[in-house]
Amino acid sequence: MIRDYTAAALAVGLTFALKVLIEGWVGPGPPLLIYLPAVTFSAWLGGLGPGLAATAMAALVCVYAHLPPVGAWWLHSPNDRFRLVVFLGEGMLLSALMEGLLAARRRAEASARDARRYQDELARSEGQLRAVLDHSPSVIFLKDRAGRYLLVNRRFEVLNEVAPNGAIGKTDDDVFPRPTAAVFRANDRMVLELGKPFEIEEVVTRADGPHTYLATKFPLFAADGTVSAVGGIATDISERKQAEQALRASEQRFRTLCHCSPIGIFLTDGAGRTTYTNPRCQEIYGFSSDEAMGEGWSRFIHPQDRTRVLDEWSQLAPVGGEFSMEYRTLGPGGTVRWVHDRAAPLFSDQGEVIGHVGTVEDITERKLAEEAVRRERDFAEGVIATAQAIVLVLDRSGRIVRVNPFLGRVTGCEPDEVRGEDWFATFVPHRERCRAREAFLQALAADGGNTVTYPILTRDGRHRRIEWANRVLGGLEGAAHVLAIGHDITALEQAQQRALQAERLAAIGEMVAGLSHESRNALHRSQVCLEMLGLEVEDRPEALNLIARLQAAQDDLYHLFEDVRSYAAPIHLEMRACDLAEIWREAWAQLAALRRGREDVLTEATDGLDLHCAADPFRLGQVFRNILENALSAGADPARIEIGCDRTELDGQPALRLAVRDHGPGLTPEQRQRIFEPFFTTKTKGTGLGMAITKRIVEAHGGQIAVGEAGGPGAEILLTLPRGQR
């Protein structure tokens, strides 16, 4: 805008300068007309505004510089004023005309620009459309009413092996086999006649076989509303058709499989609601197909299991979790079944949960079998746990796999302590291991059973005689094992030995009783004779000395008969509560005559222990007299005898253990082995029955007597007595 007005001022100024220059050469001329070109130029360049501005400036210049009076802003001559008015009119008219021309020019230029833009856009649109058409995976075409192709895309040309633009003007008969072309023409006529689009499946046979296309054909209308052409877009759906056929076949197989399946099958939607159940599923639950739909199946869950099943299912189903649970169902008539319900999620291509597919297996028989096995196992476990025998399972290397609690009662070792230990190295005495292991290997090799008897060691080192029955177990934890059942026959053998000894002693007793009766009579007669002989030889000291020696020999013989009779006679106990300390103190006091003139001391170490037990105090007095008498005889003065006591167990029952130790020379290995044998003695006097009688009395109390371990001073005798009912 400023540029146009500046150009108008410059045009007027340039005209003024030219007028002055020309008048200098040729003389004065008409002052107003010379400015019309400047007005015309300004109006042509800028339109009405700049033209009027140039007219006004030219009029002012003429009034001031050219028309008299020069240098003034008014005119005296009417003719000059008239010419000025005419000039102004001519300038306005020229400006208006030029404005019209300029507007027309602008419109023309705008139209030309629009036309070029439209052409460019059309070309671009056509290029884009062509690119879309040529890169489309579908076949696209246009045909006129006569069936001639007006447009085809590159896909059409490639599939039908037509050169670019080679199909234009041709018909279907020129491109396709006649049967195919006839079908296409019939479909095109239907679009032309009805004037509306159709979606049709058309089949074209190509080198690799028939292809099915989903063709959308539509009409193109002329300006008068008539159908002028047919357009079409055809998409190859052969793979989809094959997939649909495969899907239908798969669905048919699935339904056939579901119908014949021995397990229940069900489908759910994304919310976990049932949409399908097969006949077996309906049979297991006892519902119909309609009753199972939605959440209806849940009504057939056993009331005691329903809450936990539905809670688990409601948590897993919406998030696509896998479901697996065993529970009970309650069918019509109160029929209870156990089922194993499994379900896996189904996902869409976008990863969204669209449902679940699941199976239902009737496990009622398995559950009943498991319950029966559990009852049998519990029964067997109870039998094993309470059996009054050792139940032992060993692996092929002889290590303990399992053992029942009775082993603890026999040996004092708990089952958990010895599990995994070598049985033979831990419990079998060294001299018996080869025989025990041989029986174990024979049981493994023979795949049968055998019996063997050998002792085992207890925690405190004692031996228990066990009779074993061995049998191989196959398949336990994948390998062969040996089951050994052991019966503790220690007490039985001891009872048998006692019975045998009692029989022997009874025989000896009968013999001794008869011998004692006859001998007592003979000894009585001999005693009378000795007394009468003593009266006859009172004045002969040598004879009296011989008579005294005969009297002593006769007394020794009498005591010998009494000892043998006491050893052979049955032991009858009068049990009552008594204090062991009082008994051994009384026995020690009864040995006063033997201790007279000797230096001796008896030391007691009881540590405040309760020494009361059920026993026969008279018989135990005999035991302590025999032990203390031997201890006094074993050592020289000063004679020191120690008695120690502590608690223990005997055959699982509370007991007291007493240790009596002297400070003599101790026992030789032979003496340690034979000390309790009848008639064995190391003294110059005595029958050797004292310790044998002691052993019988202790065993009659249900106790044990043994020689202590060597290594301390002197000899040690160990007594173990049950406390009994105090």
Side-chain angles (χ1 to χ4, degrees):
M1 181 68 70
I2 296 175
R3 178 181 61 83
D4 293 339
Y5 284 100
T6 302
L10 290 175
V12 172
L14 181 59
T15 301
F16 174 77
L18 289 174
K19 183 177 184 308
V20 173
L21 181 60
I22 292 171
E23 284 183 348
W25 291 344
V26 299
L32 293 174
L33 295 177
I34 199 171
Y35 285 97
L36 286 177
V39 172
T40 303
F41 173 75
S42 298
W44 176 82
L45 182 62
L48 181 61
L52 294 177
T55 301
M57 286 187 289
L60 290 175
V61 170
C62 288
V63 170
Y64 184 79
H66 299 302
L67 295 177
V70 176
W73 293 104
W74 62 87
L75 297 175
H76 294 296
S77 172
N79 292 331
D80 290 337
R81 287 196 292 273
F82 176 76
R83 285 197 297 271
L84 179 60
V85 171
V86 172
F87 175 75
L88 291 174
E90 291 174 348
M92 287 188 289
L93 179 60
L94 286 173
S95 297
L97 292 174
M98 288 301 173
E99 176 66 24
L101 291 175
L102 183 59
R105 185 184 67 188
R106 288 173 180 167
R107 286 194 298 271
E109 290 176 352
S111 298
R113 286 195 301 272
D114 290 342
R116 286 195 299 273
R117 185 175 68 254
Y118 294 151
Q119 289 176 354
D120 293 341
E121 291 179 355
L122 179 60
R124 184 169 59 256
S125 297
E126 289 179 351
Q128 293 173 347
L129 178 60
R130 173 54 64 177
V132 170
L133 295 176
D134 287 343
H135 291 86
S136 172
S138 301
V139 174
I140 302 174
F141 57 86
L142 290 177
K143 302 179 187 176
D144 62 14
R145 292 184 65 88
R148 292 185 294 269
Y149 284 100
L150 302 175
L151 179 144
V152 295
N153 68 341
R154 183 60 182 161
R155 183 66 174 170
F156 181 97
E157 295 171 343
V158 170
L159 291 176
N160 297 297
E161 299 179 355
V162 177
N165 298 321
I168 305 303
K170 293 183 178 180
T171 64
D172 291 327
D173 290 325
D174 300 326
V175 179
F176 301 102
R178 287 185 177 277
T180 303
V183 174
F184 290 172
R185 284 197 304 273
N187 294 335
D188 293 345
R189 282 196 300 270
M190 184 171 57
V191 174
L192 292 171
E193 293 172 357
L194 299 178
K196 61 180 182 180
F198 286 94
E199 194 171 73
I200 308 166
E201 288 187 6
E202 297 178 335
V203 180
V204 177
T205 302
R206 303 197 183 281
D208 57 349
H211 285 246
T212 301
Y213 288 84
L214 181 61
T216 301
K217 295 191 173 184
F218 51 88
L220 277 72
F221 296 95
D224 57 1
T226 60
V227 178
S228 61
V230 175
I233 301 174
T235 303
D236 191 342
I237 60 170
S238 301
E239 293 183 359
R240 192 185 80 185
K241 294 291 286 186
Q242 294 173 358
E244 288 176 352
Q245 293 174 358
L247 179 60
R248 285 193 296 270
S250 177
E251 288 178 348
Q252 183 60 37
R253 288 194 297 271
F254 173 76
R255 293 189 180 277
T256 303
L257 176 64
C258 289
H259 187 79
C260 301
S261 173
I263 62 174
I265 300 175
F266 64 89
L267 296 173
T268 73
D269 59 16
R273 294 184 294 267
T274 302
T275 59
Y276 169 79
T277 57
N278 74 332
R280 178 57 178 161
C281 183
Q282 299 163 18
E283 178 185 353
I284 292 174
Y285 278 87
F287 50 51
S288 65
S289 177
D290 294 337
E291 289 174 331
M293 293 299 103
E295 298 178 354
W297 65 279
S298 62
R299 299 197 306 273
F300 292 83
I301 302 175
H302 196 283
Q304 295 179 1
D305 297 341
R306 186 176 299 150
T307 300
R308 70 180 179 90
V309 174
L310 295 182
D311 287 347
E312 182 77 7
W313 176 246
S314 62
Q315 292 178 7
L316 295 176
V319 298
E322 292 189 359
F323 178 84
S324 179
M325 184 175 288
E326 294 181 356
Y327 57 87
R328 290 168 294 174
T329 65
L330 185 61
T335 303
V336 177
R337 292 177 183 262
W338 274 97
V339 299
H340 188 179
D341 188 349
R342 302 182 184 90
L346 299 173
F347 296 98
S348 66
D349 294 340
Q350 292 73 34
E352 298 176 349
V353 179
I354 59 175
H356 280 74
V357 59
T359 61
V360 177
E361 182 181 0
D362 186 348
I363 59 172
T364 305
E365 293 184 1
R366 192 193 80 190
K367 280 292 186 178
L368 293 176
E370 289 176 354
E371 179 63 21
V373 170
R374 186 190 63 78
R375 288 197 298 268
E376 290 294 331
R377 183 179 64 248
D378 292 345
F379 174 75
E381 293 287 347
V383 170
I384 292 173
T386 58
Q388 299 301 301
I390 300 173
V391 180
L392 175 68
V393 178
L394 303 178
D395 64 14
R396 298 185 68 89
S397 62
R399 295 192 176 275
I400 300 172
V401 176
R402 183 175 180 181
V403 67
N404 70 332
F406 191 74
L407 179 70
R409 294 174 56 184
V410 174
T411 66
C413 300
E414 295 301 322
D416 291 339
E417 298 177 15
V418 300
R419 189 172 290 111
E421 298 293 331
D422 187 306
W423 166 256
F424 303 101
T426 305
F427 288 99
V428 182
H430 187 271
R431 66 178 181 274
E432 298 285 348
R433 288 178 189 169
C434 290
R435 190 166 63 89
R437 191 177 289 276
E438 182 180 358
F440 166 76
L441 295 176
Q442 287 177 354
L444 275 177
D447 195 20
N450 59 20
T451 58
V452 64
T453 300
Y454 59 82
I456 62 173
L457 294 169
T458 65
R459 185 186 290 274
D460 56 7
R462 293 180 294 111
H463 289 195
R464 304 292 295 183
R465 293 280 296 173
I466 309 296
E467 183 180 51
W468 297 98
N470 299 325
R471 184 175 183 83
V472 68
L473 293 178
L476 182 63
E477 297 180 0
H481 291 64
V482 171
L483 170 65
I485 307 296
H487 295 277
D488 188 353
I489 60 173
T490 305
L492 175 62
E493 289 187 345
Q494 291 174 350
Q496 290 174 343
Q497 291 176 357
R498 287 194 296 269
L500 180 60
Q501 186 179 18
E503 291 177 1
R504 292 173 179 172
L505 290 176
I508 294 174
E510 291 178 2
M511 179 190 70
V512 169
L515 181 63
S516 176
H517 176 73
E518 298 298 330
S519 299
R520 190 178 291 112
N521 292 333
L523 289 173
H524 182 69
R525 292 193 301 271
S526 176
Q527 179 67 29
V528 171
C529 292
L530 286 174
E531 291 176 354
M532 293 175 63
L533 183 61
L535 294 175
E536 294 291 333
V537 295
E538 288 181 341
D539 56 345
R540 298 171 56 185
E542 297 82 358
L544 290 175
N545 184 40
L546 289 174
I547 291 172
R549 292 173 62 183
L550 286 173
Q551 183 69 49
Q554 183 171 293
D555 292 341
D556 289 342
L557 182 61
Y558 179 78
H559 288 303
L560 174 61
F561 276 117
E562 287 299 316
D563 286 346
V564 172
R565 187 181 64 80
S566 298
Y567 176 72
I571 296 177
H572 300 287
L573 300 178
E574 296 182 6
M575 305 291 286
R576 66 174 184 267
C578 56
D579 187 340
L580 294 182
E582 293 180 359
I583 296 175
W584 76 59
R585 290 167 188 163
E586 178 66 23
W588 180 254
Q590 292 173 2
L591 295 174
L594 183 64
R595 292 161 42 212
R596 186 176 297 115
R598 297 194 57 179
E599 296 181 20
D600 55 64
V601 58
L602 177 64
T603 303
E604 299 176 356
T606 62
D607 296 329
L609 186 66
D610 180 11
L611 298 178
H612 286 82
C613 67
D616 184 332
F618 174 75
R619 292 293 188 178
L620 284 187
Q622 289 182 267
V623 170
F624 284 118
R625 279 197 305 275
N626 285 332
I627 295 174
L628 292 174
E629 183 179 351
N630 287 340
L632 284 170
S633 302
D637 292 344
R640 294 175 53 197
I641 302 174
E642 300 172 355
I643 299 181
C645 304
D646 60 5
R647 297 184 184 87
T648 186
E649 287 188 356
L650 185 62
D651 295 329
Q653 301 299 322
L656 291 171
R657 182 167 59 185
L658 288 77
V660 182
R661 180 179 288 277
D662 61 44
H663 282 255
L667 299 174
T668 65
E670 181 187 7
Q671 292 170 344
R672 292 172 61 84
Q673 184 175 359
R674 301 185 59 191
I675 187 172
F676 299 110
E677 291 182 5
F679 308 109
F680 174 77
T681 182
T682 59
K683 301 177 184 178
T684 56
K685 296 179 62 178
T687 61
L689 291 174
M691 293 306 291
I693 294 172
T694 296
K695 185 172 186 293
R696 286 193 66 208
I697 294 172
V698 171
E699 290 178 346
H701 280 80
Q704 296 175 350
I705 187 169
V707 179
E709 295 292 333
E716 182 182 49
I717 302 299
L718 299 177
L719 287 173
T720 304
L721 295 172
R723 283 188 178 271
Q725 298 295 327
R726 293 173 287 170

